[in-house]
Structure formats: structure tokens, C-alpha cells
Amino acid sequence: MTTPPPPSTATTSTKRERRKEARPGELLEAALDLFVEKGFAATRVDEVAARAGVSKGTLFLYFPSKEELFKAVVRENIAGRFAEWNNELESFVGTTSELLRYCYQVWWERIGATKASGITKLMLSEAQNFPEIAQFYQQEVILPGQALVRRILERGIARGEFRPVNLDYAVYLVLAPMIFLTLWKHSLGACVPDSMEMTPEQYIETQADNILHGLCVRPEASADTSASHDPSAGTQPSTSSLPPSSKRSRTS
């Protein structure tokens, strides 16, 4: 029986380099798991390192503190996607109603259905105890998210598809279903899966229908309004609006 030759120094070095390059991603994945499972305060960096299979010292080579580790997790999973989403908005060729439905679908596939959706619940639960990460989340997730939704609504209004609304508040009309779904998924939905017989995709579709019903301009309503103010329509009232005596005099 022959003994296989030891791996060459070059092969060992290549594997080591590949492992080193993969470590930040492995650490971020382990951190996301633990932050969502335990929250920010209860997660310890040595737990993250252990789950990623490295030492705590190795973790600190990449991320100098737990706060910086959390920020990197948010950028990797949420904040870093806004450039991509804004580009998709710019290139979208359908109606704004179709765009809004598409955005809900994309949000669910890329965020809502993933572990990253648990970050929303974490922030709502712990933001007041960690002002630094709350400010970071405001700047890199909340404000860009609101700006993106606002652009969608502005597009619909500019194209005559949506009626004019107060955009400062209408953005929350669009965001609220997302927030509810993440809270449900990572609270009661996680502990009691059958607590609500709800399919997320159908829930999103229903919410989109309701929102668009309120936002979309109704052609028949616009036509009725125009006719009621059209001078060419004349000022002669219909006989149905006249008192009975007037009706008799007109028909006698």
C-alpha cells in the first residue's frame, strides 16, 4: 500500500488564501444568524467567531467591534441593495401599478423571505438602547427605503396614473405591509406557525390591490367630474331633478 504524497506547499498556500478570502462572508453569515436569533444585545462576538469556525481574535481582524460587525451585516444584506433597486426603477418600462407590484415581489424574494428580514424586528426592539446603530440604520436603510418608495409614487403621479397624495405620509402606506409581515414572521409566526393561516405572497398581493385601489386615478370618476363642470353640457336641469309641478307643465 503506497502512501499518497503530501500536498505541495503551493496547494496548501492556495487553500489557505481561499479560506482567508471566505472568512469575512462566513463571519457575516454567522453574525446574521445570531443577531436574528438572539438580538443585538444578547449576541456575543465569541459566539459569532465560534459559529464561523474562527477565533475571536480573527474576527476582530476584520471587524473591530460588535457594532461594526452589525453594520457590515446590514450593508451586506439590505443597505447594499439600494443601488441595484434604484437602477431597476430607472429601467422599468411598465405602468407604475406594475412597478409597485414588482417592488413588493422583489422585496419579498430578496429580503422578506430571507433571514435578513429579522433585522427589522431587531431594530424596532432594540434601537432605543443603541443610539449609534439606530442612527446608522436610519441613514443607510430607512431614509433610502423611503426615498425609493417616494420615487415610485412620484412616477405614478407624474404619469397621471396615481392621484396626487401627501407623499410624506403615503410612503408609509406602502411600507407598512412589509413591516407587519416581518414582525409577524419573526415573532408569533416563528413560535406558532399556524397562528395565522396566511400565505405571505397572497398577503402582499392583497395589500397591493388595496393600496392601488386608493392611489390609482379612476377614468370614469374623472369623466364624471369633467362632465359636471363642462359648459357645453348646458345648464338645463333634468326633469328628474324638477319638482312635480314643473314636470307636469313640461309634459302638458
Side-chain angles (χ1 to χ4, degrees):
M1 181 176 181
T2 59
T3 303
S8 67
T9 303
T11 301
T12 303
S13 176
T14 300
K15 289 182 178 179
R16 187 179 298 113
E17 287 299 320
R18 289 176 180 170
R19 168 66 175 159
K20 184 177 180 180
E21 292 174 0
R23 278 177 187 157
E26 293 169 353
L27 286 165
L28 292 175
E29 184 176 356
L32 174 62
D33 287 343
L34 286 165
F35 283 137
V36 172
E37 290 171 15
K38 304 181 68 173
F40 181 80
T43 297
R44 302 196 312 272
V45 291
D46 54 342
E47 293 177 300
V48 176
R51 183 167 294 197
V54 301
S55 67
K56 184 166 66 173
T58 299
L59 183 151
F60 284 130
L61 289 175
Y62 298 97
F63 309 103
S65 67
K66 185 169 75 168
E67 288 76 11
E68 291 303 315
L69 176 62
F70 178 78
K71 291 177 182 179
V73 167
V74 172
R75 290 188 178 111
E76 175 71 16
N77 291 279
I78 303 178
R81 294 184 177 271
F82 282 111
E84 169 191 354
W85 289 334
N86 277 289
N87 288 336
E88 290 188 45
L89 188 156
E90 291 287 349
S91 61
F92 195 85
V93 295
T95 68
T96 309
S97 292
E98 292 169 340
L99 174 59
L100 186 64
R101 292 182 188 278
Y102 174 73
C103 288
Y104 272 127
Q105 175 191 342
V106 167
W107 168 81
W108 175 250
E109 292 174 352
R110 301 179 191 176
I111 302 294
T114 72
K115 290 178 289 187
S117 60
I119 295 175
T120 299
K121 177 176 178 291
L122 181 155
M123 290 305 307
L124 291 174
S125 301
E126 302 189 64
Q128 64 179 351
N129 297 322
F130 300 96
E132 180 185 344
I133 65 169
Q135 182 65 27
F136 160 81
Y137 195 79
Q138 172 79 4
Q139 292 298 320
E140 300 216 11
V141 176
I142 295 176
L143 293 181
Q146 291 175 347
L148 181 61
V149 172
R150 190 184 185 99
R151 288 185 64 198
I152 295 171
L153 298 177
E154 287 174 339
R155 180 186 191 267
I157 294 170
R159 290 161 63 106
E161 298 169 336
F162 292 172
R163 62 188 179 85
V165 292
N166 186 326
L167 293 174
D168 292 337
Y169 293 95
V171 293
Y172 298 110
L173 183 72
V174 176
L175 293 171
M178 303 179 188
I179 296 172
F180 167 79
L181 198 52
T182 56
L183 292 178
W184 169 78
K185 178 182 175 183
H186 292 279
S187 54
L188 193 60
C191 301
V192 189
D194 297 329
S195 61
M196 294 175 65
E197 295 183 0
M198 181 173 68
T199 302
E201 293 84 355
Q202 292 179 357
Y203 167 81
I204 291 171
E205 182 67 22
T206 301
Q207 294 299 319
D209 283 342
N210 288 334
I211 291 168
L212 290 171
H213 182 75
L215 286 174
C216 287
V217 172
R218 298 177 179 81
E220 66 278 8
S222 298
D224 292 344
T225 302
S226 298
S228 65
H229 293 86
D230 185 0
S232 64
T235 58
Q236 183 69 33
S238 66
T239 56
S240 61
S241 65
L242 294 172
S245 59
S246 298
K247 290 183 182 179
R248 285 196 297 270
S249 64
R250 290 172 63 89
T251 57
S252 59

